[in-house]
Amino acid sequence: MANCFRLAFALLLTLGAIHAGAAPLDFAHQIVPVLREHCAECHTGDKKKGGLSMNTRADLLAGGENGKVVIAGDSAKSKLIAAITSKDAEKQMPPKGARLSPEKVALLRGWIDAGLPWDEGFAFKKAGYEPPLRPRRPVLPPAVAGRTNAVDRILDAHLAQHKSPRPAPIDDGTFARRAHLDLVGLLPEPVALEKFLADKSADKRARLVRELLANNTAYAEHWLTFWNDLLRNDYSGTGFITGGRKQITGWLYRALVENKTYDQFARELIAYTPESEGFAAGIRWRGDVSAGATPEIQFAQSVGQSFLGINLKCASCHDSFIDRWKLEESFGLAAIYATGKLELHRCDKPLGKTAKAGWLFPELGEVNATAPQPERLKQLAALMTHPENGRFTRTIVNRFWHRLMGRGIVHPTDAMQTEPWSHDLLDYLAVHLADNQFDLKKTLELIATSAAYQSRAQVLGRDADERGYFYAGPRAKRLTAEQFVDAVWQVTGTAPTRFDAQVVRGKVSTQTVSEMKLAARWIWSHADAGNAKAGETLVAQKKFTLASAPVRAGAVAAADNSFILYINGTRAAAGDNWENPEAIPLESRLKAGANEIVLVAKNGGAGPNPAGVIFEARIQLADGTVVTIATDASWQSTQSQPDAKGKFKVEPADWQAAVEVPNSALWNARVGKQLAMQLAQAATATQPMVRAALMKNDFFMRALGRPHREQIVSVRPSELTTLEAIDLNNGQILATRLEQGAARILAKQWPSSDALATWLYHFALSRTPTAAEMSLAREILGEQPTSQGLQDLLWAVMMQPEFQLVR
């Protein structure tokens, strides 16, 4: 009893001293132990149960998802005291373990009433690294040994500071292979490689880099893989059959071919156009989904991850456990996209609060939450690409550094809250991109022309990253699934002639465009098309037969005011602006034998006005024959309407000839040249080898690591999987390509086995075979190479790590 009396008396004295200000409360020795024992498990470190963190005084005062838990100076109104004294098992805190003694409760009451005194600088967990927001232009160190590239100046100083040697340079053959695979995703062709190796010019490597980047088609079709992964775009898979997902392939391909500036690229994805909206819309999953998988939340997650390297998935369910992002911030970003009210949910439980549209970095400005959705998106796009948003530029240059050098300056690339191993390098690359008007090719050129990029790859031990990363040169990278497949197709000459991506490949010369003459005529259902009624519809049909499947086919179409094009029972294209004709790839739509085209054109406006539609296709067959299908009086029209696949439930009985519109001069004057140019590009441009990036995913590419792209994939796995090993050893797809390729290669009638082996090593590895390799090749091929022998040699070369890596 005496001990209890003395403890109570001491406690009264302590509380009296606190309130009187005579003896300040000892935060470190009286309060911290109580919080550690009863609160730390759920509310300190990375734990934020209910959104409440006690790491710092500011965190505690901020409260949790249900509001403030302490009011400094007023313990009676503080929810914390109510929770620790509650006898309700559903409300009491802590929810398990020992209850707080009356003495500890009294201590906490006194602490709160005293205004929450907190030792300066104390935190249960120190705050993580917070990256700078605004750009920073570092001062470049002096050049050493004539190495003037800014990347080298920064890295040479970095290595000198750590008393580390500069990595040794690579030879020309290794550089040529590395640059080709990194910049355009292809192996250097043997003839081009020999020419490069024989060139004695001091600037030949820089010229090669510029030449590769200037190859717009090869560049676009290589980087299409990178952007498809990062923007989760694909040509098949979840959502496409049900209409819950939309491709951005046509927009993305043109953006890459035309080298659209990155700031404009991002703006068109955020404040989207009809062609680019698939990124923002995400996937509309069938059935019920969690609150963290709605299109609005997907938008926030995708924008944060793709453009800022921020993980908002955790913060879409509750305040993040891994970084500083909060549930309200994630829902705020989602609310910018939402077209109605968006209720906050924590762990799928509605909170009864409506999200307010908001931008993650209000220091740069804010989004007007009351503005219409299109205007909110424009404001977000402007803030994302704001000149002072250094995070936007740092994120993409870090991704490009990773792609070329094998490891990010910030690593992983989606953890941009992490401190970079070189602030100066990251910041310089970011301001360099902005200085060059957001031209991503300039960033690639800067890196690829540096001595650092042209250095020998770092040799890694098993624990390379476990003890902290230190720059020691570029790192070898696995070929992507698409790069590996393209390399096989290149060497064997077995690339397909048709592809799946609905894109118009490449560019054409001005001469080809000038020589293109349109055969098509504007048509309608009656002669008085100049006074067509508003809403009047033309349904026109053309049937034709092809002797073989096309190897090249493209079309153009336009209508005043709109059209939908169906080919062989599928919707192929649509347009609603006659001044912006549509270019339409057709290879994958047409077939050998009978084909059918259905055009549904609709007149717009408020009253009688001119109406018309035009379509022309040029189809090249394997024997070189070119078939032209163009709208004219030979097309048939009907009053019947087709279904969503362009099919008629009952064959129309009222077919009649379509009518060539007599007053089409205005349309031709405005868009005739554009129609001819787009048709020339779509149908007659000389086409390089079809690329794997243009093909739907198949079993072989999945085994090699190509993702389904239902989620954003910024970095593919680097480890060899059991499935991949099995498929490389026994897969039928690869075996068939090697068999077909062996026949093609042997048809060239090589003068000797040595010449064949030398050619193969030059093509596959960009070097001549060693004496041991040549001896083995002779043994495999024999004096008279056979198909089986060459298949075995092809397989042996392609299974080497040297072939499967960019080194």
Side-chain angles (χ1 to χ4, degrees), residues 97 99-100 112 114 121 160 184 191 213 234 238 247 277 329 332 348 382 512 527 536 567 575 619 682 729 734 763-764:
R99 311 288 298 138
L100 274 73
I112 294 171
V184 297
V191 173
L213 292 173
D234 216 328
T238 301
Q247 289 187 42
E277 70 174 313
E329 291 175 309
D348 247 12
T512 302
E536 188 173 297
I567 298 180
I619 306 162
N729 277 278
L734 178 60
F763 207 161

Side-chain angles (χ1 to χ4, degrees), residues 46-301:
D46 291 328
K47 301 294 183 64
K48 300 179 184 178
K49 272 273 186 125
L52 174 63
S53 170
M54 295 184 177
N55 279 333
T56 67
R57 184 176 187 274
D59 288 339
L60 180 56
L61 284 170
E65 292 166 1
N66 294 318
K68 293 182 178 296
V69 297
V70 294
I71 298 176
D74 195 343
S75 63
K77 294 182 180 179
S78 296
K79 293 180 181 179
L80 176 63
I81 299 302
I84 64 177
T85 58
S86 175
K87 304 208 182 293
D88 186 335
E90 295 294 322
K91 298 179 179 179
Q92 68 185 22
M93 291 293 161
K96 58 183 180 179
R99 311 288 298 138
L100 274 73
S101 67
E103 296 79 17
K104 291 176 181 177
V105 173
L107 270 174
L108 293 180
R109 283 186 190 275
W111 176 54
I112 294 171
D113 287 335
L116 244 70
W118 194 289
D119 289 356
E120 185 176 353
F122 174 82
F124 285 95
K125 180 184 178 183
K126 298 295 182 184
Y129 170 74
E130 179 64 20
L133 173 61
R134 289 177 166 79
R136 181 181 73 94
R137 188 179 300 276
V139 176
L140 291 177
V144 176
R147 293 153 67 100
T148 57
N149 184 294
V151 169
D152 295 322
R153 292 170 67 174
I154 293 170
L155 290 180
D156 286 351
H158 175 84
L159 291 168
Q161 180 183 356
H162 292 85
K163 298 181 180 179
S164 297
R166 294 195 297 265
I170 53 176
D171 61 78
D172 284 342
T174 303
F175 168 77
R177 189 176 192 271
R178 181 185 292 179
H180 274 78
L181 287 168
D182 278 342
L183 300 180
V184 297
L186 296 169
L187 298 169
E189 296 281 340
V191 173
L193 177 63
E194 290 177 13
K195 182 180 178 181
F196 175 76
L197 295 177
D199 189 345
K200 303 303 180 184
S201 304
D203 66 340
K204 69 176 185 179
R205 293 191 179 189
R207 282 191 288 107
L208 177 61
V209 168
R210 289 192 291 269
E211 288 168 6
L212 292 172
L213 292 173
N215 187 338
N216 296 316
T217 301
Y219 168 84
E221 294 178 0
H222 168 55
W223 286 93
L224 190 62
T225 292
F226 170 88
W227 289 109
N228 276 340
D229 283 3
L230 190 61
L231 303 175
R232 70 172 185 176
N233 178 61
D234 216 328
Y235 324 132
S236 62
T238 301
F240 289 117
I241 296 176
T242 62
R245 189 177 181 189
K246 185 175 180 180
Q247 289 187 42
I248 62 169
T249 308
W251 175 88
L252 177 58
Y253 187 91
R254 286 199 300 276
L256 294 174
V257 167
E258 296 166 3
N259 194 32
K260 190 184 295 288
T261 60
Y262 185 55
D263 57 338
Q264 183 63 25
F265 181 95
R267 283 193 289 268
E268 290 183 20
L269 286 169
I270 296 171
Y272 51 81
T273 67
E275 286 188 300
S276 64
E277 70 174 313
F279 169 74
I283 300 175
R284 191 172 294 278
W285 303 94
R286 288 189 294 173
D288 294 331
V289 297
S290 71
T294 63
E296 295 84 1
I297 294 296
Q298 290 180 57
F299 172 82
Q301 294 170 352

Side-chain angles (χ1 to χ4, degrees), residues 414-442:
D414 281 333
M416 291 301 289
Q417 290 291 117
T418 308
E419 190 166 5
W421 56 262
S422 173
H423 291 270
D424 283 355
L425 180 59
L426 181 64
D427 287 343
Y428 181 82
L429 290 174
V431 297
H432 176 271
L433 175 62
D435 288 347
N436 284 277
Q437 290 74 52
F438 295 89
D439 184 343
L440 291 173
K441 287 187 178 182
K442 292 294 185 182

Side-chain angles (χ1 to χ4, degrees), residues 672-709:
K673 289 183 179 179
Q674 187 175 351
L675 285 164
M677 181 189 72
Q678 288 181 297
L679 183 59
Q681 182 174 343
T684 66
T686 301
Q687 294 301 304
M689 180 189 85
V690 168
R691 303 288 294 274
L694 302 175
M695 306 298 292
K696 291 179 180 178
N697 208 353
D698 60 19
F699 179 83
F700 187 49
M701 283 194 278
R702 286 196 298 272
L704 292 172
R706 176 165 162 174
H708 291 292
R709 295 174 178 148

Side-chain angles (χ1 to χ4, degrees), residues 540-609:
Q541 181 191 69
K542 183 72 173 179
K543 294 183 177 181
F544 57 96
T545 300
L546 295 177
S548 63
V551 296
R552 177 72 174 154
V556 288
D560 189 351
N561 290 91
S562 65
F563 77 89
I564 301 175
L565 173 70
Y566 300 94
I567 298 180
N568 292 329
T570 61
R571 178 168 166 158
D576 59 3
N577 182 353
W578 67 271
E579 293 183 289
N580 185 23
E582 298 293 324
I584 309 158
L586 297 180
E587 286 96 336
S588 61
R589 304 286 190 184
L590 301 174
K591 60 185 179 179
N595 291 267
E596 179 185 62
I597 296 176
V598 174
L599 260 176
V600 179
K602 187 175 182 179
N603 189 31
N609 59 80

